[in-house]
C-alpha cells in the first residue's frame, strides 16, 4: 500500500512538471500555430524559417492566460495519473502468480489502466484545446463528465481509445523485443557493466518504440477532440472524421503523421503557407 502511494505521489509530481510541455504538444498536434514562422538557424547552422518551439509557444500562452494558463486540464490529468497507477499496480499483483510472460502481464495492466482512465484523458485534451477558440465549455472535471454524457453519451468518454490502446500495446512489444535482441546478441555476457548496459538498452529501445508508434498517439488525441463542439476540433483545423482510420488516412495524405512529435527545431511544412487569420498552415 505504501509502495502504491509513493508511486502515485511520484507520478503526480511528474504530471505537474510535464503539464506545460503536454499542453503545447496537444495544441501543435491539433494544428494550431498562433505565431508565424521566423528566420532562424537549424542544427547545422543554416538559415531556415522555423516555427516557434516549446518555450516561445509557452511564452505566448502565458501572455494570453498568465502562468496559470499553462496548467489547464491539470486536474483531470492528475486524476488519470493517480487512478492509472493504482489500477496498473493492482492488475500486476493480480496476475503476479499466474504463469504468463512478463510482457503479457504488463500489456494487460497497461490496457486496463488506459481503459479506465481514458475518460479523464478525453476531458484533459478538451480542456487544453479550448485555448484555440477561447471557450469555457469544459471548465470543471465533474461538469465536463455531465457535458460529454449529455451530448455524446457513454461512447463520448472513449473517443480515440482504439488507436491509443493499439499504440500502447505495439510500443510495449516493440520495446521489449528490441531490448531482448540487443541484450541477447549485442551485449557480451559476463561483462562487469552488463546490468547497467541492459538498463540503458531498455531506455533507448523505449525511445525508438515511442517514435515508431507516435502516429497512434496523434490520431488518438485528434479523435478525442474531433467534432466535440470546440473550435480546435472543427474546420478549419480538422474535418469531421468518420473513424480513426479516416483520420489516419487524411493525416497520411497531408504528410502530417509526425505533427507535434518534436517541439524544438520545428520546420515549416513543405508546400504549405501560413494563414494568419486561421493561425495554421494550409
Amino acid at each position: 500500500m505504501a509502495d502504491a502511494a509513493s508511486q502515485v505521489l511520484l507520478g503526480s509530481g511528474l504530471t505537474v512538471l510535464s503539464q506545460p510541455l503536454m499542453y503545447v504538444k496537444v495544441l501543435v498536434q491539433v494544428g494550431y500555430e498562433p505565431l508565424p514562422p521566423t528566420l532562424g538557424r537549424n542544427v547545422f547552422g543554416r538559415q531556415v524559417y522555423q516555427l516557434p518551439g516549446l518555450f516561445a509557444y509557452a511564452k505566448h500562452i502565458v501572455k494570453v492566460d498568465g502562468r496559470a494558463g499553462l496548467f489547464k486540464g491539470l486536474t483531470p490529468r492528475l486524476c488519470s495519473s493517480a487512478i492509472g497507477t493504482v489500477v496498473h499496480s493492482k492488475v500486476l499483483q493480480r496476475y503476479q502468480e499466474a504463469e504468463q510472460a512478463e510482457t503479457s502481464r504488463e500489456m494487460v495492466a497497461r490496457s486496463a489502466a488506459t481503459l479506465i482512465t481514458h475518460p479523464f484523458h478525453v476531458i484533459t485534451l478538451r480542456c487544453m484545446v479550448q485555448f484555440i477558440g477561447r471557450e469555457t465549455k469544459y471548465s470543471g472535471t465533474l461538469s465536463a463528465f455531465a457535458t460529454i454524457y449529455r451530448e455524446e453519451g457513454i461512447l463520448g468518454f472513449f473517443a480515440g481509445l482504439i488507436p491509443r490502446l493499439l499504440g500502447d500495446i505495439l510500443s510495449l512489444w516493440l520495446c521489449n523485443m528490441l531490448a531482448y535482441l540487443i541484450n541477447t546478441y549485442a551485449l557480451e555476457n559476463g561483462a562487469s557493466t552488463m546490468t547497467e548496459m541492459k538498463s540503458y538498452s531498455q531506455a533507448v529501445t523505449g525511445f525508438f518504440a515511442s517514435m515508431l508508434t507516435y502516429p497512434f498517439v496523434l490520431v488518438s488525441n485528434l479523435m478525442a477532440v474531433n467534432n466535440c463542439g470546440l473550435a480546435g476540433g472543427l474546420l478549419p483545423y480538422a474535418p469531421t472524421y468518420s473513424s480513426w482510420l479516416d483520420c489516419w488516412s487524411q493525416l497520411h495524405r497531408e504528410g502530417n503523421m509526425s505533427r507535434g512529435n518534436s517541439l524544438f527545431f520545428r520546420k515549416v511544412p513543405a508546400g504549405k503557407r501560413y494563414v494568419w487569420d486561421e493561425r495554421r498552415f494550409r
Side-chain angles (χ1 to χ4, degrees), residues 236-265:
Y237 297 100
T240 300
Y241 301 117
S242 59
S243 68
W244 72 270
L245 291 173
D246 179 36
C247 177
W248 182 293
S249 177
Q250 292 200 40
L251 289 173
H252 186 267
R253 285 199 303 269
E254 296 167 358
N256 287 328
M257 294 302 287
S258 62
R259 188 170 65 194
N261 193 18
S262 174
L263 297 180
F264 299 97
F265 301 107

PDB file of all heavy atoms in Angstrom, residues 236-265:
ATOM      1  N   PRO A 236     -11.499  25.203 -39.505  1.00  0.00           N
ATOM      2  CA  PRO A 236     -10.515  24.750 -40.488  1.00  0.00           C
ATOM      3  C   PRO A 236      -9.422  23.832 -39.940  1.00  0.00           C
ATOM      4  O   PRO A 236      -8.554  23.409 -40.691  1.00  0.00           O
ATOM      5  CB  PRO A 236      -9.898  26.072 -40.962  1.00  0.00           C
ATOM      6  CG  PRO A 236      -9.916  26.929 -39.731  1.00  0.00           C
ATOM      7  CD  PRO A 236     -11.203  26.583 -39.025  1.00  0.00           C
ATOM      8  N   TYR A 237      -9.455  23.559 -38.641  1.00  0.00           N
ATOM      9  CA  TYR A 237      -8.374  22.742 -38.065  1.00  0.00           C
ATOM     10  C   TYR A 237      -8.511  21.266 -38.398  1.00  0.00           C
ATOM     11  O   TYR A 237      -7.526  20.563 -38.560  1.00  0.00           O
ATOM     12  CB  TYR A 237      -8.297  22.960 -36.560  1.00  0.00           C
ATOM     13  CG  TYR A 237      -7.949  24.376 -36.207  1.00  0.00           C
ATOM     14  CD1 TYR A 237      -8.935  25.281 -35.829  1.00  0.00           C
ATOM     15  CD2 TYR A 237      -6.645  24.836 -36.324  1.00  0.00           C
ATOM     16  CE1 TYR A 237      -8.624  26.597 -35.551  1.00  0.00           C
ATOM     17  CE2 TYR A 237      -6.320  26.151 -36.050  1.00  0.00           C
ATOM     18  CZ  TYR A 237      -7.318  27.026 -35.675  1.00  0.00           C
ATOM     19  OH  TYR A 237      -7.002  28.338 -35.426  1.00  0.00           O
ATOM     20  N   ALA A 238      -9.745  20.794 -38.472  1.00  0.00           N
ATOM     21  CA  ALA A 238      -9.956  19.381 -38.774  1.00  0.00           C
ATOM     22  C   ALA A 238     -11.348  19.173 -39.331  1.00  0.00           C
ATOM     23  O   ALA A 238     -12.310  19.774 -38.847  1.00  0.00           O
ATOM     24  CB  ALA A 238      -9.768  18.543 -37.512  1.00  0.00           C
ATOM     25  N   PRO A 239     -11.478  18.307 -40.332  1.00  0.00           N
ATOM     26  CA  PRO A 239     -12.812  17.923 -40.788  1.00  0.00           C
ATOM     27  C   PRO A 239     -13.426  16.955 -39.780  1.00  0.00           C
ATOM     28  O   PRO A 239     -12.768  16.533 -38.836  1.00  0.00           O
ATOM     29  CB  PRO A 239     -12.524  17.220 -42.123  1.00  0.00           C
ATOM     30  CG  PRO A 239     -11.143  16.655 -41.954  1.00  0.00           C
ATOM     31  CD  PRO A 239     -10.402  17.637 -41.094  1.00  0.00           C
ATOM     32  N   THR A 240     -14.674  16.607 -39.980  1.00  0.00           N
ATOM     33  CA  THR A 240     -15.287  15.598 -39.125  1.00  0.00           C
ATOM     34  C   THR A 240     -14.889  14.222 -39.632  1.00  0.00           C
ATOM     35  O   THR A 240     -15.293  13.816 -40.727  1.00  0.00           O
ATOM     36  CB  THR A 240     -16.822  15.740 -39.129  1.00  0.00           C
ATOM     37  OG1 THR A 240     -17.176  17.037 -38.643  1.00  0.00           O
ATOM     38  CG2 THR A 240     -17.470  14.680 -38.250  1.00  0.00           C
ATOM     39  N   TYR A 241     -14.072  13.528 -38.871  1.00  0.00           N
ATOM     40  CA  TYR A 241     -13.600  12.209 -39.288  1.00  0.00           C
ATOM     41  C   TYR A 241     -14.671  11.156 -39.009  1.00  0.00           C
ATOM     42  O   TYR A 241     -15.303  11.161 -37.951  1.00  0.00           O
ATOM     43  CB  TYR A 241     -12.316  11.834 -38.554  1.00  0.00           C
ATOM     44  CG  TYR A 241     -11.174  12.793 -38.773  1.00  0.00           C
ATOM     45  CD1 TYR A 241     -10.635  13.523 -37.711  1.00  0.00           C
ATOM     46  CD2 TYR A 241     -10.614  12.962 -40.039  1.00  0.00           C
ATOM     47  CE1 TYR A 241      -9.581  14.410 -37.907  1.00  0.00           C
ATOM     48  CE2 TYR A 241      -9.561  13.841 -40.245  1.00  0.00           C
ATOM     49  CZ  TYR A 241      -9.049  14.562 -39.166  1.00  0.00           C
ATOM     50  OH  TYR A 241      -8.007  15.432 -39.363  1.00  0.00           O
ATOM     51  N   SER A 242     -14.849  10.235 -39.945  1.00  0.00           N
ATOM     52  CA  SER A 242     -15.840   9.166 -39.765  1.00  0.00           C
ATOM     53  C   SER A 242     -15.338   8.084 -38.821  1.00  0.00           C
ATOM     54  O   SER A 242     -16.135   7.392 -38.182  1.00  0.00           O
ATOM     55  CB  SER A 242     -16.199   8.544 -41.122  1.00  0.00           C
ATOM     56  OG  SER A 242     -15.041   8.003 -41.753  1.00  0.00           O
ATOM     57  N   SER A 243     -14.037   7.933 -38.722  1.00  0.00           N
ATOM     58  CA  SER A 243     -13.426   6.948 -37.833  1.00  0.00           C
ATOM     59  C   SER A 243     -11.960   7.303 -37.650  1.00  0.00           C
ATOM     60  O   SER A 243     -11.437   8.187 -38.333  1.00  0.00           O
ATOM     61  CB  SER A 243     -13.543   5.530 -38.414  1.00  0.00           C
ATOM     62  OG  SER A 243     -12.728   5.414 -39.582  1.00  0.00           O
ATOM     63  N   TRP A 244     -11.278   6.593 -36.743  1.00  0.00           N
ATOM     64  CA  TRP A 244      -9.863   6.878 -36.531  1.00  0.00           C
ATOM     65  C   TRP A 244      -9.043   6.475 -37.755  1.00  0.00           C
ATOM     66  O   TRP A 244      -7.991   7.067 -38.016  1.00  0.00           O
ATOM     67  CB  TRP A 244      -9.358   6.192 -35.270  1.00  0.00           C
ATOM     68  CG  TRP A 244      -9.207   4.698 -35.334  1.00  0.00           C
ATOM     69  CD1 TRP A 244     -10.141   3.755 -35.032  1.00  0.00           C
ATOM     70  CD2 TRP A 244      -8.021   3.973 -35.701  1.00  0.00           C
ATOM     71  NE1 TRP A 244      -9.633   2.483 -35.199  1.00  0.00           N
ATOM     72  CE2 TRP A 244      -8.327   2.590 -35.597  1.00  0.00           C
ATOM     73  CE3 TRP A 244      -6.746   4.337 -36.105  1.00  0.00           C
ATOM     74  CZ2 TRP A 244      -7.407   1.589 -35.883  1.00  0.00           C
ATOM     75  CZ3 TRP A 244      -5.816   3.343 -36.395  1.00  0.00           C
ATOM     76  CH2 TRP A 244      -6.158   1.992 -36.276  1.00  0.00           C
ATOM     77  N   LEU A 245      -9.523   5.502 -38.530  1.00  0.00           N
ATOM     78  CA  LEU A 245      -8.824   5.119 -39.758  1.00  0.00           C
ATOM     79  C   LEU A 245      -8.922   6.226 -40.806  1.00  0.00           C
ATOM     80  O   LEU A 245      -7.975   6.464 -41.558  1.00  0.00           O
ATOM     81  CB  LEU A 245      -9.415   3.820 -40.310  1.00  0.00           C
ATOM     82  CG  LEU A 245      -9.146   2.556 -39.479  1.00  0.00           C
ATOM     83  CD1 LEU A 245      -9.920   1.370 -40.048  1.00  0.00           C
ATOM     84  CD2 LEU A 245      -7.648   2.249 -39.426  1.00  0.00           C
ATOM     85  N   ASP A 246     -10.071   6.904 -40.844  1.00  0.00           N
ATOM     86  CA  ASP A 246     -10.241   8.042 -41.745  1.00  0.00           C
ATOM     87  C   ASP A 246      -9.291   9.171 -41.351  1.00  0.00           C
ATOM     88  O   ASP A 246      -8.670   9.806 -42.212  1.00  0.00           O
ATOM     89  CB  ASP A 246     -11.690   8.519 -41.682  1.00  0.00           C
ATOM     90  CG  ASP A 246     -11.952   9.720 -42.585  1.00  0.00           C
ATOM     91  OD1 ASP A 246     -11.364   9.775 -43.683  1.00  0.00           O
ATOM     92  OD2 ASP A 246     -12.745  10.593 -42.190  1.00  0.00           O
ATOM     93  N   CYS A 247      -9.170   9.407 -40.058  1.00  0.00           N
ATOM     94  CA  CYS A 247      -8.234  10.420 -39.552  1.00  0.00           C
ATOM     95  C   CYS A 247      -6.805  10.076 -39.939  1.00  0.00           C
ATOM     96  O   CYS A 247      -6.053  10.914 -40.429  1.00  0.00           O
ATOM     97  CB  CYS A 247      -8.378  10.521 -38.029  1.00  0.00           C
ATOM     98  SG  CYS A 247      -7.227  11.679 -37.240  1.00  0.00           S
ATOM     99  N   TRP A 248      -6.430   8.819 -39.738  1.00  0.00           N
ATOM    100  CA  TRP A 248      -5.086   8.337 -40.087  1.00  0.00           C
ATOM    101  C   TRP A 248      -4.824   8.551 -41.576  1.00  0.00           C
ATOM    102  O   TRP A 248      -3.754   9.036 -41.967  1.00  0.00           O
ATOM    103  CB  TRP A 248      -4.974   6.852 -39.725  1.00  0.00           C
ATOM    104  CG  TRP A 248      -3.634   6.237 -39.976  1.00  0.00           C
ATOM    105  CD1 TRP A 248      -3.037   6.020 -41.189  1.00  0.00           C
ATOM    106  CD2 TRP A 248      -2.710   5.764 -38.982  1.00  0.00           C
ATOM    107  NE1 TRP A 248      -1.805   5.433 -41.018  1.00  0.00           N
ATOM    108  CE2 TRP A 248      -1.584   5.263 -39.685  1.00  0.00           C
ATOM    109  CE3 TRP A 248      -2.738   5.705 -37.597  1.00  0.00           C
ATOM    110  CZ2 TRP A 248      -0.502   4.703 -39.011  1.00  0.00           C
ATOM    111  CZ3 TRP A 248      -1.660   5.147 -36.935  1.00  0.00           C
ATOM    112  CH2 TRP A 248      -0.544   4.663 -37.624  1.00  0.00           C
ATOM    113  N   SER A 249      -5.802   8.185 -42.398  1.00  0.00           N
ATOM    114  CA  SER A 249      -5.643   8.285 -43.848  1.00  0.00           C
ATOM    115  C   SER A 249      -5.442   9.730 -44.291  1.00  0.00           C
ATOM    116  O   SER A 249      -4.562  10.021 -45.120  1.00  0.00           O
ATOM    117  CB  SER A 249      -6.883   7.690 -44.528  1.00  0.00           C
ATOM    118  OG  SER A 249      -6.797   7.836 -45.928  1.00  0.00           O
ATOM    119  N   GLN A 250      -6.226  10.648 -43.730  1.00  0.00           N
ATOM    120  CA  GLN A 250      -6.101  12.050 -44.128  1.00  0.00           C
ATOM    121  C   GLN A 250      -4.783  12.660 -43.658  1.00  0.00           C
ATOM    122  O   GLN A 250      -4.156  13.431 -44.386  1.00  0.00           O
ATOM    123  CB  GLN A 250      -7.288  12.844 -43.582  1.00  0.00           C
ATOM    124  CG  GLN A 250      -8.610  12.481 -44.232  1.00  0.00           C
ATOM    125  CD  GLN A 250      -9.672  13.550 -44.074  1.00  0.00           C
ATOM    126  OE1 GLN A 250      -9.390  14.742 -44.170  1.00  0.00           O
ATOM    127  NE2 GLN A 250     -10.903  13.129 -43.836  1.00  0.00           N
ATOM    128  N   LEU A 251      -4.369  12.336 -42.453  1.00  0.00           N
ATOM    129  CA  LEU A 251      -3.083  12.834 -41.960  1.00  0.00           C
ATOM    130  C   LEU A 251      -1.937  12.307 -42.821  1.00  0.00           C
ATOM    131  O   LEU A 251      -0.977  13.031 -43.111  1.00  0.00           O
ATOM    132  CB  LEU A 251      -2.879  12.411 -40.507  1.00  0.00           C
ATOM    133  CG  LEU A 251      -3.737  13.095 -39.453  1.00  0.00           C
ATOM    134  CD1 LEU A 251      -3.527  12.448 -38.087  1.00  0.00           C
ATOM    135  CD2 LEU A 251      -3.404  14.581 -39.359  1.00  0.00           C
ATOM    136  N   HIS A 252      -2.043  11.063 -43.237  1.00  0.00           N
ATOM    137  CA  HIS A 252      -1.002  10.461 -44.073  1.00  0.00           C
ATOM    138  C   HIS A 252      -0.931  11.146 -45.425  1.00  0.00           C
ATOM    139  O   HIS A 252       0.160  11.433 -45.939  1.00  0.00           O
ATOM    140  CB  HIS A 252      -1.278   8.965 -44.240  1.00  0.00           C
ATOM    141  CG  HIS A 252      -0.195   8.235 -44.965  1.00  0.00           C
ATOM    142  ND1 HIS A 252      -0.228   8.031 -46.346  1.00  0.00           N
ATOM    143  CD2 HIS A 252       0.973   7.670 -44.525  1.00  0.00           C
ATOM    144  CE1 HIS A 252       0.858   7.380 -46.713  1.00  0.00           C
ATOM    145  NE2 HIS A 252       1.599   7.146 -45.639  1.00  0.00           N
ATOM    146  N   ARG A 253      -2.094  11.426 -46.014  1.00  0.00           N
ATOM    147  CA  ARG A 253      -2.116  12.107 -47.314  1.00  0.00           C
ATOM    148  C   ARG A 253      -1.521  13.502 -47.228  1.00  0.00           C
ATOM    149  O   ARG A 253      -0.864  13.968 -48.157  1.00  0.00           O
ATOM    150  CB  ARG A 253      -3.556  12.188 -47.841  1.00  0.00           C
ATOM    151  CG  ARG A 253      -4.117  10.914 -48.386  1.00  0.00           C
ATOM    152  CD  ARG A 253      -5.320  11.188 -49.292  1.00  0.00           C
ATOM    153  NE  ARG A 253      -6.351  11.932 -48.597  1.00  0.00           N
ATOM    154  CZ  ARG A 253      -7.350  11.380 -47.921  1.00  0.00           C
ATOM    155  NH1 ARG A 253      -7.439  10.063 -47.844  1.00  0.00           N
ATOM    156  NH2 ARG A 253      -8.265  12.130 -47.326  1.00  0.00           N
ATOM    157  N   GLU A 254      -1.750  14.182 -46.118  1.00  0.00           N
ATOM    158  CA  GLU A 254      -1.265  15.555 -45.939  1.00  0.00           C
ATOM    159  C   GLU A 254       0.175  15.613 -45.442  1.00  0.00           C
ATOM    160  O   GLU A 254       0.749  16.700 -45.333  1.00  0.00           O
ATOM    161  CB  GLU A 254      -2.166  16.286 -44.948  1.00  0.00           C
ATOM    162  CG  GLU A 254      -3.609  16.450 -45.429  1.00  0.00           C
ATOM    163  CD  GLU A 254      -4.536  16.892 -44.320  1.00  0.00           C
ATOM    164  OE1 GLU A 254      -4.054  17.028 -43.165  1.00  0.00           O
ATOM    165  OE2 GLU A 254      -5.727  17.102 -44.589  1.00  0.00           O
ATOM    166  N   GLY A 255       0.761  14.465 -45.113  1.00  0.00           N
ATOM    167  CA  GLY A 255       2.131  14.432 -44.601  1.00  0.00           C
ATOM    168  C   GLY A 255       2.245  14.954 -43.181  1.00  0.00           C
ATOM    169  O   GLY A 255       3.285  15.521 -42.801  1.00  0.00           O
ATOM    170  N   ASN A 256       1.190  14.754 -42.376  1.00  0.00           N
ATOM    171  CA  ASN A 256       1.173  15.282 -41.006  1.00  0.00           C
ATOM    172  C   ASN A 256       1.271  14.204 -39.929  1.00  0.00           C
ATOM    173  O   ASN A 256       0.887  14.433 -38.782  1.00  0.00           O
ATOM    174  CB  ASN A 256      -0.118  16.089 -40.783  1.00  0.00           C
ATOM    175  CG  ASN A 256      -0.106  17.413 -41.507  1.00  0.00           C
ATOM    176  OD1 ASN A 256       0.956  18.023 -41.679  1.00  0.00           O
ATOM    177  ND2 ASN A 256      -1.266  17.870 -41.942  1.00  0.00           N
ATOM    178  N   MET A 257       1.762  13.029 -40.263  1.00  0.00           N
ATOM    179  CA  MET A 257       1.778  11.926 -39.297  1.00  0.00           C
ATOM    180  C   MET A 257       2.714  12.163 -38.112  1.00  0.00           C
ATOM    181  O   MET A 257       2.591  11.514 -37.077  1.00  0.00           O
ATOM    182  CB  MET A 257       2.170  10.619 -39.995  1.00  0.00           C
ATOM    183  CG  MET A 257       1.162  10.142 -41.007  1.00  0.00           C
ATOM    184  SD  MET A 257      -0.483   9.868 -40.311  1.00  0.00           S
ATOM    185  CE  MET A 257      -0.231   8.386 -39.368  1.00  0.00           C
ATOM    186  N   SER A 258       3.644  13.088 -38.249  1.00  0.00           N
ATOM    187  CA  SER A 258       4.579  13.365 -37.151  1.00  0.00           C
ATOM    188  C   SER A 258       4.347  14.742 -36.537  1.00  0.00           C
ATOM    189  O   SER A 258       5.184  15.236 -35.783  1.00  0.00           O
ATOM    190  CB  SER A 258       6.025  13.259 -37.643  1.00  0.00           C
ATOM    191  OG  SER A 258       6.288  14.211 -38.660  1.00  0.00           O
ATOM    192  N   ARG A 259       3.222  15.367 -36.840  1.00  0.00           N
ATOM    193  CA  ARG A 259       2.947  16.710 -36.331  1.00  0.00           C
ATOM    194  C   ARG A 259       2.911  16.720 -34.800  1.00  0.00           C
ATOM    195  O   ARG A 259       2.174  15.969 -34.180  1.00  0.00           O
ATOM    196  CB  ARG A 259       1.604  17.215 -36.875  1.00  0.00           C
ATOM    197  CG  ARG A 259       1.324  18.672 -36.559  1.00  0.00           C
ATOM    198  CD  ARG A 259       0.114  19.158 -37.332  1.00  0.00           C
ATOM    199  NE  ARG A 259      -1.115  18.481 -36.915  1.00  0.00           N
ATOM    200  CZ  ARG A 259      -2.260  18.527 -37.599  1.00  0.00           C
ATOM    201  NH1 ARG A 259      -2.309  19.170 -38.752  1.00  0.00           N
ATOM    202  NH2 ARG A 259      -3.329  17.907 -37.150  1.00  0.00           N
ATOM    203  N   GLY A 260       3.736  17.567 -34.205  1.00  0.00           N
ATOM    204  CA  GLY A 260       3.795  17.666 -32.756  1.00  0.00           C
ATOM    205  C   GLY A 260       4.787  16.718 -32.112  1.00  0.00           C
ATOM    206  O   GLY A 260       4.973  16.740 -30.892  1.00  0.00           O
ATOM    207  N   ASN A 261       5.452  15.890 -32.919  1.00  0.00           N
ATOM    208  CA  ASN A 261       6.392  14.918 -32.351  1.00  0.00           C
ATOM    209  C   ASN A 261       7.609  15.603 -31.751  1.00  0.00           C
ATOM    210  O   ASN A 261       8.165  15.163 -30.752  1.00  0.00           O
ATOM    211  CB  ASN A 261       6.834  13.925 -33.429  1.00  0.00           C
ATOM    212  CG  ASN A 261       7.554  12.729 -32.841  1.00  0.00           C
ATOM    213  OD1 ASN A 261       7.449  12.454 -31.661  1.00  0.00           O
ATOM    214  ND2 ASN A 261       8.293  12.027 -33.679  1.00  0.00           N
ATOM    215  N   SER A 262       8.032  16.700 -32.370  1.00  0.00           N
ATOM    216  CA  SER A 262       9.171  17.465 -31.866  1.00  0.00           C
ATOM    217  C   SER A 262       8.738  18.896 -31.584  1.00  0.00           C
ATOM    218  O   SER A 262       8.026  19.504 -32.385  1.00  0.00           O
ATOM    219  CB  SER A 262      10.314  17.468 -32.885  1.00  0.00           C
ATOM    220  OG  SER A 262      11.362  18.321 -32.465  1.00  0.00           O
ATOM    221  N   LEU A 263       9.173  19.436 -30.460  1.00  0.00           N
ATOM    222  CA  LEU A 263       8.839  20.805 -30.098  1.00  0.00           C
ATOM    223  C   LEU A 263      10.053  21.728 -30.190  1.00  0.00           C
ATOM    224  O   LEU A 263      10.009  22.864 -29.748  1.00  0.00           O
ATOM    225  CB  LEU A 263       8.258  20.842 -28.674  1.00  0.00           C
ATOM    226  CG  LEU A 263       6.936  20.086 -28.494  1.00  0.00           C
ATOM    227  CD1 LEU A 263       6.468  20.192 -27.052  1.00  0.00           C
ATOM    228  CD2 LEU A 263       5.865  20.602 -29.440  1.00  0.00           C
ATOM    229  N   PHE A 264      11.126  21.225 -30.776  1.00  0.00           N
ATOM    230  CA  PHE A 264      12.336  22.027 -30.975  1.00  0.00           C
ATOM    231  C   PHE A 264      12.766  21.899 -32.442  1.00  0.00           C
ATOM    232  O   PHE A 264      12.565  20.857 -33.071  1.00  0.00           O
ATOM    233  CB  PHE A 264      13.466  21.560 -30.064  1.00  0.00           C
ATOM    234  CG  PHE A 264      13.148  21.666 -28.599  1.00  0.00           C
ATOM    235  CD1 PHE A 264      12.689  20.569 -27.890  1.00  0.00           C
ATOM    236  CD2 PHE A 264      13.284  22.882 -27.933  1.00  0.00           C
ATOM    237  CE1 PHE A 264      12.391  20.670 -26.539  1.00  0.00           C
ATOM    238  CE2 PHE A 264      12.987  22.991 -26.588  1.00  0.00           C
ATOM    239  CZ  PHE A 264      12.533  21.877 -25.886  1.00  0.00           C
ATOM    240  N   PHE A 265      13.349  22.967 -32.987  1.00  0.00           N
ATOM    241  CA  PHE A 265      13.803  22.986 -34.385  1.00  0.00           C
ATOM    242  C   PHE A 265      12.668  22.537 -35.317  1.00  0.00           C
ATOM    243  O   PHE A 265      12.828  21.665 -36.159  1.00  0.00           O
ATOM    244  CB  PHE A 265      15.035  22.099 -34.582  1.00  0.00           C
ATOM    245  CG  PHE A 265      16.205  22.487 -33.742  1.00  0.00           C
ATOM    246  CD1 PHE A 265      16.580  21.711 -32.651  1.00  0.00           C
ATOM    247  CD2 PHE A 265      16.928  23.629 -34.004  1.00  0.00           C
ATOM    248  CE1 PHE A 265      17.645  22.070 -31.857  1.00  0.00           C
ATOM    249  CE2 PHE A 265      18.004  24.002 -33.218  1.00  0.00           C
ATOM    250  CZ  PHE A 265      18.361  23.226 -32.138  1.00  0.00           C
TER     251      PHE A 265
END
